[in-house]
Amino acid sequence: MHFNINTFESNSLRLICNRRDEITINNKTIRFLNRINGVAVSQTSIYILLYECDESGDIHGAVQPLNNIDAYDYEGNLQWNISEIIGDVPNPFIFIEVHTKKTISERLENKGWGFDSEHVIDGHEFLFCSDIGGLYYVIDITEKKLIYRKGFRS
């Protein structure tokens, strides 16, 4: 799921985000150098999308951080940065969502982008993200590997 949060609670997870640069995951507070632009939650992890804005609050006038998605476990420990899975990217990410096999297939299969659900495994979860340069990425977050990359502005 992808959402704007102040507080989110489930059986094993409590997220509090009262500041643009800080999140509390089950009583562990993490402060970032950049602002939080999005949060997506899987069954085992929290994914944080970071960005920066200029003095007026516009993200287009500011230098954006690259590799700006981090994964944390439910204890608030950093698991990985997106660059560890897909390598360094030339553009910042602007969107994240967590999907199951059914929802990622529905999201991408009929778009004409050549997405093939044969690499999508039942029971796995997938991080769907896009960068400002026009690329979509699908990461199998269960196996921590990139399974799809395609430009949507081509």
Side-chain angles (χ1 to χ4, degrees), residues 55-96:
E55 301 79 34
S56 69
D58 183 13
I59 65 167
H60 301 291
V63 175
Q64 296 303 314
L66 298 177
N67 304 311
N68 56 324
I69 299 173
D70 289 326
Y72 290 85
D73 65 20
Y74 278 17
E75 299 304 313
N77 300 308
L78 180 65
Q79 292 180 310
W80 48 262
N81 175 271
I82 195 152
S83 65
E84 296 170 42
I85 295 175
I86 66 172
D88 289 331
V89 294
N91 297 304
F93 289 93
I94 58 172
F95 182 79
I96 55 174

Side-chain angles (χ1 to χ4, degrees), residues 7-58:
T7 301
F8 170 81
E9 292 188 55
S10 71
N11 291 339
S12 58
L13 177 63
R14 183 166 195 245
L15 295 176
I16 302 171
C17 188
N18 292 327
R19 297 172 45 113
R20 290 181 179 204
D21 64 347
E22 185 177 279
I23 193 166
T24 301
I25 303 171
N26 286 337
N27 298 318
K28 182 174 182 179
T29 300
I30 304 160
R31 179 168 268 168
F32 301 97
L33 297 175
N34 301 101
R35 295 178 186 212
I36 298 169
N37 189 35
V39 176
V41 178
S42 74
Q43 292 180 21
T44 58
S45 303
I46 300 103
Y47 305 91
I48 309 291
L49 175 66
L50 300 169
Y51 77 105
E52 196 50 68
C53 59
D54 63 17
E55 301 79 34
S56 69
D58 183 13

